[in-house]
mmCIF file of all heavy atoms in Angstrom:
data_model
loop_
_atom_site.group_PDB
_atom_site.id
_atom_site.type_symbol
_atom_site.label_atom_id
_atom_site.label_comp_id
_atom_site.label_asym_id
_atom_site.label_seq_id
_atom_site.Cartn_x
_atom_site.Cartn_y
_atom_site.Cartn_z
ATOM 1 N N LEU R 14 -50.561 10.790 36.963
ATOM 2 C CA LEU R 14 -50.195 12.070 36.272
ATOM 3 C C LEU R 14 -50.356 13.305 37.224
ATOM 4 O O LEU R 14 -51.319 14.037 37.175
ATOM 5 C CB LEU R 14 -51.160 12.195 34.997
ATOM 6 C CG LEU R 14 -50.999 11.224 33.915
ATOM 7 C CD1 LEU R 14 -51.884 11.554 32.754
ATOM 8 C CD2 LEU R 14 -49.532 10.970 33.546
ATOM 9 N N HIS R 15 -49.319 13.553 37.904
ATOM 10 C CA HIS R 15 -49.203 14.711 38.785
ATOM 11 C C HIS R 15 -48.618 15.739 37.918
ATOM 12 O O HIS R 15 -48.568 15.609 36.745
ATOM 13 C CB HIS R 15 -48.396 14.458 40.160
ATOM 14 C CG HIS R 15 -46.999 13.920 39.825
ATOM 15 N ND1 HIS R 15 -45.983 14.828 39.575
ATOM 16 C CD2 HIS R 15 -46.498 12.718 39.829
ATOM 17 C CE1 HIS R 15 -44.837 14.117 39.395
ATOM 18 N NE2 HIS R 15 -45.193 12.892 39.522
ATOM 19 N N LEU R 16 -48.207 16.894 38.505
ATOM 20 C CA LEU R 16 -47.987 18.108 37.705
ATOM 21 C C LEU R 16 -46.811 17.921 36.630
ATOM 22 O O LEU R 16 -47.027 18.287 35.513
ATOM 23 C CB LEU R 16 -47.528 19.254 38.614
ATOM 24 C CG LEU R 16 -47.311 20.594 37.912
ATOM 25 C CD1 LEU R 16 -48.560 21.022 37.133
ATOM 26 C CD2 LEU R 16 -46.993 21.695 38.926
ATOM 27 N N ARG R 17 -45.760 17.306 36.986
ATOM 28 C CA ARG R 17 -44.608 17.189 35.955
ATOM 29 C C ARG R 17 -44.957 16.314 34.830
ATOM 30 O O ARG R 17 -44.858 16.690 33.731
ATOM 31 C CB ARG R 17 -43.317 16.630 36.744
ATOM 32 C CG ARG R 17 -42.122 16.661 35.788
ATOM 33 C CD ARG R 17 -40.845 16.311 36.485
ATOM 34 N NE ARG R 17 -40.971 15.452 37.673
ATOM 35 C CZ ARG R 17 -40.665 15.939 38.934
ATOM 36 N NH1 ARG R 17 -40.228 17.136 39.119
ATOM 37 N NH2 ARG R 17 -40.844 15.136 39.926
ATOM 38 N N PRO R 18 -45.464 15.086 35.060
ATOM 39 C CA PRO R 18 -45.796 14.241 33.837
ATOM 40 C C PRO R 18 -47.069 14.785 33.153
ATOM 41 O O PRO R 18 -47.145 14.652 31.934
ATOM 42 C CB PRO R 18 -46.085 12.764 34.449
ATOM 43 C CG PRO R 18 -46.341 12.988 35.932
ATOM 44 C CD PRO R 18 -45.480 14.255 36.322
ATOM 45 N N ALA R 19 -47.960 15.365 33.812
ATOM 46 C CA ALA R 19 -49.052 16.080 33.095
ATOM 47 C C ALA R 19 -48.566 17.243 32.219
ATOM 48 O O ALA R 19 -48.993 17.363 31.098
ATOM 49 C CB ALA R 19 -50.100 16.621 34.152
ATOM 50 N N GLY R 20 -47.661 18.015 32.644
ATOM 51 C CA GLY R 20 -47.029 19.042 31.927
ATOM 52 C C GLY R 20 -46.303 18.523 30.721
ATOM 53 O O GLY R 20 -46.374 19.044 29.598
ATOM 54 N N ASN R 21 -45.532 17.361 30.915
ATOM 55 C CA ASN R 21 -44.791 16.723 29.752
ATOM 56 C C ASN R 21 -45.843 16.201 28.729
ATOM 57 O O ASN R 21 -45.502 16.317 27.503
ATOM 58 C CB ASN R 21 -43.924 15.613 30.279
ATOM 59 C CG ASN R 21 -42.776 16.151 31.066
ATOM 60 O OD1 ASN R 21 -42.359 17.321 30.995
ATOM 61 N ND2 ASN R 21 -42.106 15.330 31.908
ATOM 62 N N LEU R 22 -46.859 15.648 29.154
ATOM 63 C CA LEU R 22 -48.002 15.208 28.211
ATOM 64 C C LEU R 22 -48.499 16.346 27.379
ATOM 65 O O LEU R 22 -48.642 16.236 26.220
ATOM 66 C CB LEU R 22 -49.003 14.481 28.966
ATOM 67 C CG LEU R 22 -50.213 13.944 28.175
ATOM 68 C CD1 LEU R 22 -49.775 12.768 27.274
ATOM 69 C CD2 LEU R 22 -51.355 13.545 28.976
ATOM 70 N N CYS R 23 -48.731 17.415 28.088
ATOM 71 C CA CYS R 23 -49.312 18.605 27.310
ATOM 72 C C CYS R 23 -48.261 19.112 26.367
ATOM 73 O O CYS R 23 -48.630 19.576 25.262
ATOM 74 C CB CYS R 23 -49.756 19.708 28.361
ATOM 75 S SG CYS R 23 -51.125 19.218 29.270
ATOM 76 N N LYS R 24 -47.038 19.134 26.739
ATOM 77 C CA LYS R 24 -46.032 19.622 25.880
ATOM 78 C C LYS R 24 -45.974 18.777 24.531
ATOM 79 O O LYS R 24 -45.817 19.352 23.422
ATOM 80 C CB LYS R 24 -44.587 19.586 26.494
ATOM 81 C CG LYS R 24 -44.368 20.659 27.489
ATOM 82 C CD LYS R 24 -42.985 20.619 28.140
ATOM 83 C CE LYS R 24 -42.782 21.595 29.180
ATOM 84 N NZ LYS R 24 -41.478 21.414 29.789
ATOM 85 N N VAL R 25 -46.061 17.493 24.713
ATOM 86 C CA VAL R 25 -46.108 16.650 23.527
ATOM 87 C C VAL R 25 -47.328 16.955 22.709
ATOM 88 O O VAL R 25 -47.233 17.108 21.442
ATOM 89 C CB VAL R 25 -46.008 15.139 23.880
ATOM 90 C CG1 VAL R 25 -46.247 14.248 22.632
ATOM 91 C CG2 VAL R 25 -44.709 14.844 24.582
ATOM 92 N N ALA R 26 -48.465 17.053 23.363
ATOM 93 C CA ALA R 26 -49.715 17.291 22.605
ATOM 94 C C ALA R 26 -49.721 18.621 21.819
ATOM 95 O O ALA R 26 -50.254 18.774 20.688
ATOM 96 C CB ALA R 26 -50.876 17.329 23.549
ATOM 97 N N MET R 27 -49.107 19.662 22.417
ATOM 98 C CA MET R 27 -49.047 20.991 21.811
ATOM 99 C C MET R 27 -48.131 21.093 20.645
ATOM 100 O O MET R 27 -48.213 22.092 19.875
ATOM 101 C CB MET R 27 -48.727 22.030 22.916
ATOM 102 C CG MET R 27 -49.717 22.157 23.959
ATOM 103 S SD MET R 27 -49.399 23.279 25.242
ATOM 104 C CE MET R 27 -49.728 24.824 24.439
ATOM 105 N N ASN R 28 -47.351 20.152 20.376
ATOM 106 C CA ASN R 28 -46.458 20.080 19.175
ATOM 107 C C ASN R 28 -47.276 19.758 17.860
ATOM 108 O O ASN R 28 -46.684 19.866 16.828
ATOM 109 C CB ASN R 28 -45.334 19.059 19.309
ATOM 110 C CG ASN R 28 -44.288 19.500 20.276
ATOM 111 O OD1 ASN R 28 -44.025 20.654 20.509
ATOM 112 N ND2 ASN R 28 -43.720 18.509 21.025
ATOM 113 N N TYR R 29 -48.606 19.471 18.041
ATOM 114 C CA TYR R 29 -49.373 19.013 16.904
ATOM 115 C C TYR R 29 -50.546 19.977 16.711
ATOM 116 O O TYR R 29 -51.167 20.495 17.664
ATOM 117 C CB TYR R 29 -49.795 17.641 17.133
ATOM 118 C CG TYR R 29 -48.528 16.624 17.217
ATOM 119 C CD1 TYR R 29 -48.018 16.312 18.408
ATOM 120 C CD2 TYR R 29 -47.967 16.194 16.073
ATOM 121 C CE1 TYR R 29 -46.873 15.511 18.458
ATOM 122 C CE2 TYR R 29 -46.811 15.429 16.080
ATOM 123 C CZ TYR R 29 -46.314 15.091 17.319
ATOM 124 O OH TYR R 29 -45.144 14.325 17.385
ATOM 125 N N SER R 31 -53.505 18.943 15.464
ATOM 126 C CA SER R 31 -54.706 18.064 15.637
ATOM 127 C C SER R 31 -55.356 18.454 17.034
ATOM 128 O O SER R 31 -54.737 18.800 17.924
ATOM 129 C CB SER R 31 -54.452 16.639 15.617
ATOM 130 O OG SER R 31 -53.884 16.241 14.345
ATOM 131 N N HIS R 32 -56.692 18.217 17.024
ATOM 132 C CA HIS R 32 -57.453 18.304 18.263
ATOM 133 C C HIS R 32 -57.250 17.036 19.071
ATOM 134 O O HIS R 32 -57.540 15.932 18.424
ATOM 135 C CB HIS R 32 -58.927 18.500 17.983
ATOM 136 C CG HIS R 32 -59.792 18.771 19.203
ATOM 137 N ND1 HIS R 32 -59.675 19.720 20.008
ATOM 138 C CD2 HIS R 32 -60.738 17.916 19.628
ATOM 139 C CE1 HIS R 32 -60.549 19.633 20.984
ATOM 140 N NE2 HIS R 32 -61.199 18.555 20.773
ATOM 141 N N ILE R 33 -56.707 17.116 20.212
ATOM 142 C CA ILE R 33 -56.400 15.868 21.011
ATOM 143 C C ILE R 33 -57.106 15.841 22.307
ATOM 144 O O ILE R 33 -56.990 16.822 23.200
ATOM 145 C CB ILE R 33 -54.908 15.790 21.266
ATOM 146 C CG1 ILE R 33 -54.116 15.910 19.965
ATOM 147 C CG2 ILE R 33 -54.503 14.482 22.049
ATOM 148 C CD1 ILE R 33 -52.525 16.073 20.092
ATOM 149 N N THR R 34 -57.935 14.813 22.518
ATOM 150 C CA THR R 34 -58.658 14.647 23.828
ATOM 151 C C THR R 34 -58.383 13.202 24.241
ATOM 152 O O THR R 34 -57.901 12.367 23.501
ATOM 153 C CB THR R 34 -60.162 14.836 23.601
ATOM 154 O OG1 THR R 34 -60.666 14.011 22.719
ATOM 155 C CG2 THR R 34 -60.515 16.229 23.139
ATOM 156 N N PHE R 35 -58.798 12.987 25.497
ATOM 157 C CA PHE R 35 -58.704 11.640 26.060
ATOM 158 C C PHE R 35 -59.929 11.384 26.883
ATOM 159 O O PHE R 35 -60.501 12.258 27.450
ATOM 160 C CB PHE R 35 -57.398 11.294 26.851
ATOM 161 C CG PHE R 35 -57.169 12.082 28.005
ATOM 162 C CD1 PHE R 35 -57.707 11.645 29.234
ATOM 163 C CD2 PHE R 35 -56.515 13.318 27.979
ATOM 164 C CE1 PHE R 35 -57.504 12.341 30.429
ATOM 165 C CE2 PHE R 35 -56.261 13.995 29.175
ATOM 166 C CZ PHE R 35 -56.768 13.613 30.358
ATOM 167 N N SER R 41 -64.259 13.262 29.431
ATOM 168 C CA SER R 41 -63.205 13.541 28.462
ATOM 169 C C SER R 41 -62.476 14.787 28.798
ATOM 170 O O SER R 41 -63.019 15.683 29.573
ATOM 171 C CB SER R 41 -63.842 13.699 26.994
ATOM 172 O OG SER R 41 -64.596 14.895 26.898
ATOM 173 N N ALA R 42 -61.294 14.937 28.335
ATOM 174 C CA ALA R 42 -60.448 16.078 28.777
ATOM 175 C C ALA R 42 -59.560 16.470 27.562
ATOM 176 O O ALA R 42 -59.242 15.652 26.710
ATOM 177 C CB ALA R 42 -59.548 15.752 29.941
ATOM 178 N N ASN R 43 -59.125 17.750 27.502
ATOM 179 C CA ASN R 43 -58.317 18.266 26.510
ATOM 180 C C ASN R 43 -56.831 17.888 26.874
ATOM 181 O O ASN R 43 -56.351 18.345 27.889
ATOM 182 C CB ASN R 43 -58.494 19.778 26.422
ATOM 183 C CG ASN R 43 -57.634 20.389 25.369
ATOM 184 O OD1 ASN R 43 -56.769 19.848 24.660
ATOM 185 N ND2 ASN R 43 -57.809 21.690 25.256
ATOM 186 N N ALA R 44 -56.119 17.224 26.025
ATOM 187 C CA ALA R 44 -54.787 16.792 26.357
ATOM 188 C C ALA R 44 -53.860 17.909 26.235
ATOM 189 O O ALA R 44 -52.646 17.806 26.616
ATOM 190 C CB ALA R 44 -54.369 15.735 25.395
ATOM 191 N N LYS R 45 -54.222 19.077 25.724
ATOM 192 C CA LYS R 45 -53.312 20.217 25.628
ATOM 193 C C LYS R 45 -53.435 21.207 26.798
ATOM 194 O O LYS R 45 -52.712 22.155 26.844
ATOM 195 C CB LYS R 45 -53.630 21.008 24.280
ATOM 196 C CG LYS R 45 -53.244 20.120 23.027
ATOM 197 C CD LYS R 45 -53.471 20.987 21.740
ATOM 198 C CE LYS R 45 -53.063 20.102 20.588
ATOM 199 N NZ LYS R 45 -53.274 20.835 19.281
ATOM 200 N N SER R 46 -54.264 20.855 27.741
ATOM 201 C CA SER R 46 -54.529 21.684 28.920
ATOM 202 C C SER R 46 -54.036 20.857 30.143
ATOM 203 O O SER R 46 -54.530 19.852 30.606
ATOM 204 C CB SER R 46 -56.039 22.012 29.056
ATOM 205 O OG SER R 46 -56.328 22.514 30.364
ATOM 206 N N VAL R 47 -53.093 21.511 30.820
ATOM 207 C CA VAL R 47 -52.539 20.923 32.036
ATOM 208 C C VAL R 47 -53.618 20.826 33.088
ATOM 209 O O VAL R 47 -53.769 19.809 33.851
ATOM 210 C CB VAL R 47 -51.348 21.710 32.619
ATOM 211 C CG1 VAL R 47 -50.881 21.196 33.913
ATOM 212 C CG2 VAL R 47 -50.166 21.725 31.598
ATOM 213 N N LEU R 48 -54.445 21.846 33.224
ATOM 214 C CA LEU R 48 -55.572 21.804 34.224
ATOM 215 C C LEU R 48 -56.557 20.635 33.950
ATOM 216 O O LEU R 48 -56.985 20.042 34.774
ATOM 217 C CB LEU R 48 -56.359 23.165 34.305
ATOM 218 C CG LEU R 48 -55.479 24.329 34.879
ATOM 219 C CD1 LEU R 48 -56.267 25.540 34.877
ATOM 220 C CD2 LEU R 48 -55.054 23.915 36.357
ATOM 221 N N SER R 49 -56.864 20.435 32.665
ATOM 222 C CA SER R 49 -57.779 19.315 32.334
ATOM 223 C C SER R 49 -57.102 17.995 32.663
ATOM 224 O O SER R 49 -57.827 17.117 33.189
ATOM 225 C CB SER R 49 -58.070 19.352 30.826
ATOM 226 O OG SER R 49 -58.892 20.401 30.464
ATOM 227 N N VAL R 50 -55.866 17.790 32.376
ATOM 228 C CA VAL R 50 -55.192 16.614 32.633
ATOM 229 C C VAL R 50 -55.130 16.314 34.169
ATOM 230 O O VAL R 50 -55.441 15.273 34.685
ATOM 231 C CB VAL R 50 -53.731 16.537 32.061
ATOM 232 C CG1 VAL R 50 -52.957 15.392 32.491
ATOM 233 C CG2 VAL R 50 -53.803 16.670 30.565
ATOM 234 N N LEU R 51 -54.696 17.393 34.907
ATOM 235 C CA LEU R 51 -54.648 17.276 36.386
ATOM 236 C C LEU R 51 -56.000 16.990 36.992
ATOM 237 O O LEU R 51 -56.202 16.202 37.944
ATOM 238 C CB LEU R 51 -54.059 18.548 36.989
ATOM 239 C CG LEU R 51 -52.533 18.686 36.795
ATOM 240 C CD1 LEU R 51 -52.156 20.090 37.370
ATOM 241 C CD2 LEU R 51 -51.753 17.638 37.455
ATOM 242 N N GLY R 52 -57.052 17.680 36.497
ATOM 243 C CA GLY R 52 -58.361 17.510 36.951
ATOM 244 C C GLY R 52 -58.975 16.109 36.758
ATOM 245 O O GLY R 52 -59.914 15.742 37.427
ATOM 246 N N ALA R 53 -58.493 15.262 35.870
ATOM 247 C CA ALA R 53 -58.910 13.979 35.639
ATOM 248 C C ALA R 53 -58.449 12.973 36.761
ATOM 249 O O ALA R 53 -58.946 11.954 36.913
ATOM 250 C CB ALA R 53 -58.456 13.402 34.310
ATOM 251 N N CYS R 54 -57.479 13.478 37.525
ATOM 252 C CA CYS R 54 -56.956 12.656 38.723
ATOM 253 C C CYS R 54 -56.654 11.174 38.278
ATOM 254 O O CYS R 54 -57.065 10.251 38.802
ATOM 255 C CB CYS R 54 -58.004 12.620 39.817
ATOM 256 S SG CYS R 54 -58.346 14.214 40.517
ATOM 257 N N ILE R 55 -55.724 11.142 37.245
ATOM 258 C CA ILE R 55 -55.318 9.852 36.742
ATOM 259 C C ILE R 55 -54.255 9.247 37.556
ATOM 260 O O ILE R 55 -53.246 9.807 37.869
ATOM 261 C CB ILE R 55 -54.856 10.081 35.287
ATOM 262 C CG1 ILE R 55 -56.046 10.544 34.429
ATOM 263 C CG2 ILE R 55 -54.366 8.757 34.656
ATOM 264 C CD1 ILE R 55 -55.593 11.265 33.151
ATOM 265 N N LEU R 61 -56.496 5.157 29.565
ATOM 266 C CA LEU R 61 -56.967 6.349 28.904
ATOM 267 C C LEU R 61 -57.183 5.946 27.394
ATOM 268 O O LEU R 61 -56.495 5.167 26.791
ATOM 269 C CB LEU R 61 -56.019 7.495 29.005
ATOM 270 C CG LEU R 61 -55.552 7.896 30.339
ATOM 271 C CD1 LEU R 61 -54.520 9.054 30.170
ATOM 272 C CD2 LEU R 61 -56.691 8.380 31.234
ATOM 273 N N PHE R 63 -57.056 7.874 23.917
ATOM 274 C CA PHE R 63 -56.762 9.122 23.270
ATOM 275 C C PHE R 63 -57.510 9.206 21.934
ATOM 276 O O PHE R 63 -57.565 8.210 21.166
ATOM 277 C CB PHE R 63 -55.226 9.257 22.995
ATOM 278 C CG PHE R 63 -54.526 9.696 24.269
ATOM 279 C CD1 PHE R 63 -54.049 8.816 25.200
ATOM 280 C CD2 PHE R 63 -54.361 11.096 24.525
ATOM 281 C CE1 PHE R 63 -53.431 9.178 26.334
ATOM 282 C CE2 PHE R 63 -53.689 11.491 25.756
ATOM 283 C CZ PHE R 63 -53.298 10.609 26.569
ATOM 284 N N LYS R 64 -58.015 10.375 21.561
ATOM 285 C CA LYS R 64 -58.589 10.648 20.297
ATOM 286 C C LYS R 64 -57.970 11.788 19.626
ATOM 287 O O LYS R 64 -57.850 12.964 20.237
ATOM 288 C CB LYS R 64 -60.087 10.907 20.456
ATOM 289 C CG LYS R 64 -60.853 9.714 20.944
ATOM 290 C CD LYS R 64 -62.339 10.076 21.037
ATOM 291 C CE LYS R 64 -63.107 8.896 21.666
ATOM 292 N NZ LYS R 64 -64.531 9.165 21.723
ATOM 293 N N LEU R 77 -47.885 10.623 21.582
ATOM 294 C CA LEU R 77 -48.445 10.610 22.878
ATOM 295 C C LEU R 77 -48.277 9.173 23.554
ATOM 296 O O LEU R 77 -47.926 9.109 24.681
ATOM 297 C CB LEU R 77 -49.876 11.032 22.799
ATOM 298 C CG LEU R 77 -50.153 12.451 22.614
ATOM 299 C CD1 LEU R 77 -51.635 12.667 22.172
ATOM 300 C CD2 LEU R 77 -49.838 13.299 23.719
ATOM 301 N N LEU R 85 -43.246 9.448 30.644
ATOM 302 C CA LEU R 85 -43.358 10.948 30.642
ATOM 303 C C LEU R 85 -42.330 11.692 31.446
ATOM 304 O O LEU R 85 -42.571 12.564 32.231
ATOM 305 C CB LEU R 85 -44.751 11.367 31.184
ATOM 306 C CG LEU R 85 -45.902 10.969 30.344
ATOM 307 C CD1 LEU R 85 -47.215 11.017 31.076
ATOM 308 C CD2 LEU R 85 -45.958 11.833 29.124
#
Side-chain angles (χ1 to χ4, degrees):
L14 294 187
H15 59 83
L16 187 57
R17 187 176 23 248
N21 289 340
L22 178 68
C23 292
K24 283 181 188 175
V25 172
M27 291 177 80
N28 288 324
Y29 299 93
S31 295
H32 181 65
I33 305 169
T34 59
F35 64 89
S41 68
N43 179 358
K45 294 183 180 182
S46 165
V47 175
L48 290 178
S49 292
V50 175
L51 288 173
C54 299
I55 299 163
L61 306 180
F63 281 90
K64 295 182 182 181
L77 288 166
L85 291 165

